[in-house]
Structure formats: C-alpha cells, structure tokens
Amino acid sequence: QVQLVESGGGLVQAGGSLRLSCAASGRTFSSYAMGWFRQAPGKEREFVATITWSAGYTRYADSVKGRFTISRDNAKNTVYLQMNSLKPEDTAVYICAASSFGTGNPDPIYYGSWGQGTQVTVSS
C-alpha cells in the first residue's frame, strides 16, 4: 500500500480554478493507477477521474469532462487534478486513491489506498 496526502483545496468562486495535488509515499508509486473521487455532504462517494500508471490512459466522469484534467509525475510521486470552470455543484471533499491494478477504473472497489481528502468549496 501507499500513503496518500492531498492538498490544494480551498474556497473559490464559480468559474474559477484550483489545482489539487496528491503526494504518495512508497517506491512503487509508478506502478499504481491513481484516481480522484469526491464526496459531498449527504451524498455517496463518486468517481471523478483516473489515470493509468504510465499516464497513457485517462478517464473522467461525464460531469467534469472538459473541465478537469488529471495528470501525474512519477518522479515526484504526485498526481494532480486541475479543475477549471468550477461550479457550485463541484463542492465536495476530494479524495485521492491508488489502485494496484494499474489499469485505471472508475469503481472504488479497485482502489486499496485512500487519502484523507481536501475540501473544495465553490461559491455562486
């Protein structure tokens, strides 16, 4: 398993941007697929984006497609989520996760390591 720590959340106005980071510990980070999920108050955790170990494949939830971009830097053991054109409905705790399957999957069952999350609040 890897340990994950998210950062970069905050309060932003609608239409603004934020960049989330997720720093991972462990020498095998480059072999993991990474994902971002989010959870709003009173709602189920939902998939946001995933990226394979090689960064050759990415996948996004329909609700964020075209606005969010997931990327990774294996040399820095870090995965990013660039969020543009933010909407109030994007308000949630954003959680980073690692999957040893390496292929990238929107189902949280494939992710064995989870961070604590970072709060993103978008005001209207």
Side-chain angles (χ1 to χ4, degrees), residues 32-48:
Y32 286 81
M34 300 298 295
W36 285 98
F37 294 77
R38 66 186 182 186
Q39 188 163 18
K43 293 188 176 182
E44 296 285 322
R45 183 173 296 185
E46 66 171 348
F47 166 74
V48 175

Side-chain angles (χ1 to χ4, degrees), residues 1-6 20-25 29 31-38 45-53 70-72 77-81 93-118:
Q1 286 192 346
V2 294
Q3 284 72 51
L4 305 171
V5 179
E6 302 93 336
L20 305 184
S21 298
C22 173
S25 64
F29 170 78
S31 67
Y32 286 81
M34 300 298 295
W36 285 98
F37 294 77
R38 66 186 182 186
R45 183 173 296 185
E46 66 171 348
F47 166 74
V48 175
T50 186
I51 187 167
T52 54
W53 67 273
I70 189 170
S71 61
R72 66 189 296 162
N77 279 13
T78 302
V79 62
Y80 305 97
L81 186 68
V93 175
Y94 283 72
I95 307 160
C96 175
S99 171
S100 61
F101 290 91
T103 56
N105 196 296
D107 191 335
I109 196 172
Y110 289 97
Y111 295 81
S113 300
W114 295 82
Q116 293 298 309
T118 185

